[in-house]
Amino acid sequence: MITADRMAAVDANAAALGVPRKQLMESAGNAIAREVRTIADPGATVTLVCGRGNNGGDAFVAARFLSEYDVRVRLLGRPESISTAIARENWDALDAAEIDAEAVVDPTGEHDRLALGDADVIIDAMLGTGVSGPLREPERTVAKRITEAASGKDTAVLAVDVPSGIDADTGEIAAGPDGERVAVPADRIVTFHDTKPGLASATNAEATVTVADIGIPDAAELFTGPGDLLGLDRDPQSHKGDHGEVLVVGGGPYTGAPTLAARAALRAGADLAHVACPESVAREVQGFSEDLIVHEFPGEILEPGHLDRIRELASGRDVVVFGPGLGDADPTLTAVKRFLEAYDGRAVIDADALQVVPDVETDATLVCTPHQGELRAMGGPSADEWRERADRVREFAANLGQTVLVKGAYDVITDGEDLRVNRTGNPGMTVGGTGDVLAGTVGAVACTQRPFQAAAIGAYVNGRAGDLIVEDRGYGLVATDLIDRIPEAVRTDA
């Protein structure tokens, strides 16, 4: 099964792989037409009720494949309001092919123009998987009209992707302002690429569901791509703090690492970045950037005696990034272990702190970001070939009960169930500090996304930033270069 959000991401990733949405729309329309042929003989009357998005565009294509039927296409709204270029192109193609296609601006006053009364097949292509909540007008009225037209007759109702009014992820029908729950009563559904969770609900129990392969390659799901960034869009009404606060616990032996992680967190979208570090390096850490909020604790390294202070700081943050520059002194590793044993929030674990994770019983939700040497130190698997490594890392993550991002030429990201592989990045990123940047990036994204998705996005963004640098000026990048290119790397229109 695939959720609505993930389906949108896979669509975008397919386009990035060279399979454009226009090609997928053509395949989807063909699949709809094939389903019509299984339920109605040539000459039957088929009315396609279409919205102004790509769901409607799929139906515009289907109409061209149904020349042996009496086809009538009804667009809900004005043609100039069709929302995508490819849907508009397919609407225009109907006119050129002299197919009966009309715009219905006010279905409450144009009942007859919907052409539902004598239809043998009604195709619901009003809304797709990306729409949730109660139906609005005009779709609400039209859904009722479809219900009336099909009631007590042999009229078949075929829904495109998901019946309008039904949540693709939950199968629920949301109540409108009047408390009434309205949805199209489909007895057949053609959905694309993979079934949607909501189609297994009791609401759709009697419907026949056909999953149509429309040519989306497996790579669009396996490999990270620009589609994975879609969930990062911001509400225009956002306020400070809505996109998270990150606490980086690091420094002591090293001063640059925690600073790189915290600055990366800001560039990746966190609203505030805090650094908790020993007082011996606090001045240097603050000196790297006035954008950071630095909290010092006594001494030169993290020790168990500092944990009350660290817990206090962590309690007000969305994600804690543990490890950059901490070192591997025994008191430090003991402190990390004790912190995780009592922590139940989200944390990104990197560098020397990783080695304590396998021995810790914790209620925390972790993203571990080892390179292959650190993974072996954790007791994890080793394999030269990325496909073999991916299978082994998934098993390791399942046993660990946490999300693992193994850095390499092909990054492997898994929570023990889902698996992604990231191919962005280049040999110039072997320079020191890039892992700290990745940890901070993942920490920022984990403020608003589930940990597995945050790890996948972080890997993609980190590598993409490196690729942008190399495209501009070749190898020789340093970690601070990556930070400066993160905002560009997270743009979905780049």
Side-chain angles (χ1 to χ4, degrees):
M1 290 188 180
I2 189 167
T3 65
D5 286 347
R6 185 60 188 153
M7 190 67 233
V10 169
D11 267 351
N13 288 347
L17 292 170
V19 185
R21 187 66 184 85
K22 185 175 182 178
Q23 181 176 325
L24 299 178
M25 184 174 286
E26 197 74 11
S27 297
N30 201 349
I32 296 166
R34 287 198 306 270
E35 190 68 16
V36 171
R37 295 188 188 101
T38 68
I39 58 178
D41 295 328
T45 300
V46 180
T47 297
L48 300 95
V49 184
C50 307
R52 300 182 300 279
N54 283 341
N55 196 255
D58 294 338
F60 300 157
V61 173
R64 291 192 281 104
F65 285 104
L66 293 171
S67 58
E68 68 271 37
Y69 293 85
D70 178 13
V71 172
R72 297 171 295 194
V73 180
R74 297 296 180 262
L75 171 68
L76 301 185
R78 302 183 186 279
E80 56 268 26
S81 68
I82 294 174
S83 62
T84 70
I86 53 174
R88 284 194 299 273
E89 288 178 14
N90 282 300
W91 170 258
D92 293 339
L94 297 176
D95 181 60
E98 298 188 356
I99 293 171
D100 178 2
E102 293 187 35
V104 179
V105 178
D106 181 11
T108 61
E110 301 180 82
H111 191 182
D112 291 338
R113 292 185 64 190
L114 282 173
L116 300 176
D118 62 346
D120 298 302
V121 179
I122 299 172
I123 295 179
D124 163 30
M126 293 190 290
L127 300 172
T129 56
V131 180
S132 59
L135 285 179
R136 300 177 180 179
E137 296 296 350
E139 291 82 10
R140 189 174 183 84
T141 291
V142 175
K144 291 180 179 180
R145 294 278 170 82
I146 292 173
T147 302
E148 293 169 4
S151 179
K153 302 179 182 178
D154 292 330
T155 302
V157 179
L158 171 62
V160 176
D161 222 2
V162 62
S164 297
I166 291 177
D167 190 293
D169 291 341
T170 66
E172 294 179 356
I173 303 173
D178 59 358
E180 186 179 8
R181 301 178 188 274
V182 177
V184 170
D187 44 53
R188 287 179 177 266
I189 302 166
V190 177
T191 196
F192 307 123
H193 182 63
D194 198 353
T195 191
K196 312 308 182 292
L199 299 183
S201 71
T203 304
N204 302 295
E206 301 301 320
T208 300
V209 178
T210 298
V211 178
D213 183 349
I214 57 174
I216 295 176
D218 291 343
E221 284 203 66
L222 175 62
F223 295 116
T224 60
D228 292 278
L229 304 178
L230 296 177
L232 299 182
D233 291 342
R234 293 196 173 202
D235 186 331
Q237 303 301 318
S238 295
H239 300 283
K240 183 184 291 186
D242 288 352
H243 302 283
E245 293 188 40
V246 174
L247 170 67
V248 177
V249 182
Y254 307 96
T255 57
T259 310
L260 290 170
R263 290 186 59 220
L266 288 174
R267 290 295 193 185
D271 287 337
L272 293 171
H274 303 253
V275 178
C277 62
E279 62 183 1
S280 60
V281 298
R283 183 183 298 273
E284 287 82 356
V285 170
Q286 185 69 81
F288 280 118
S289 175
E290 62 272 26
D291 297 311
L292 306 180
I293 303 170
V294 178
H295 309 269
E296 62 182 56
F297 49 81
E300 298 183 353
I301 61 171
L302 177 68
E303 299 182 15
H306 303 135
L307 286 181
D308 286 345
R309 176 62 170 153
I310 300 302
R311 291 183 183 117
E312 178 187 358
L313 293 170
S315 66
R317 314 285 90 82
D318 296 281
V319 175
V320 177
V321 178
F322 238 109
L326 273 180
D328 61 355
D330 287 342
T332 298
L333 297 182
T334 297
V336 174
K337 185 173 184 293
R338 291 180 183 175
F339 175 85
L340 293 178
E341 286 172 342
Y343 187 58
D344 61 0
R346 291 186 176 186
V348 177
I349 311 298
D350 188 44
D352 290 313
L354 287 162
Q355 59 192 284
V356 309
V357 172
D359 300 323
V360 171
E361 291 290 336
T362 180
D363 292 328
T365 301
L366 308 181
V367 178
C368 301
T369 58
H371 55 58
Q372 292 184 62
E374 291 167 334
L375 181 65
R376 287 192 293 271
M378 294 174 69
S382 177
D384 293 332
E385 207 276 324
W386 71 265
R387 292 177 182 83
E388 182 181 356
R389 184 165 65 251
D391 290 337
R392 294 182 180 181
V393 171
R394 175 150 51 186
E395 183 178 351
F396 176 75
N399 291 334
L400 197 64
Q402 305 289 355
T403 297
V404 177
L405 190 175
V406 182
K407 297 172 284 195
Y410 280 58
D411 305 313
V412 174
I413 307 103
T414 179
D415 59 2
E417 295 183 5
D418 292 331
L419 173 73
R420 304 269 170 76
V421 176
N422 177 61
R423 299 185 292 184
T424 62
N426 58 76
M429 295 176 65
T430 56
V431 66
T434 57
D436 302 309
V437 173
L438 173 62
T441 301
V442 173
V445 181
C447 291
T448 60
Q449 308 293 315
R450 66 188 182 96
F452 170 75
Q453 186 67 4
I457 291 172
Y460 176 80
V461 167
N462 205 48
R464 179 63 182 140
D467 291 342
L468 290 169
I469 295 166
V470 171
E471 287 170 12
D472 284 349
R473 60 176 189 263
Y475 298 127
L477 63 86
V478 294
T480 51
D481 294 334
L482 288 182
I483 295 172
D484 292 337
R485 300 305 287 268
I486 286 173
E488 185 177 355
V490 299
R491 287 178 54 185
T492 56
D493 60 346

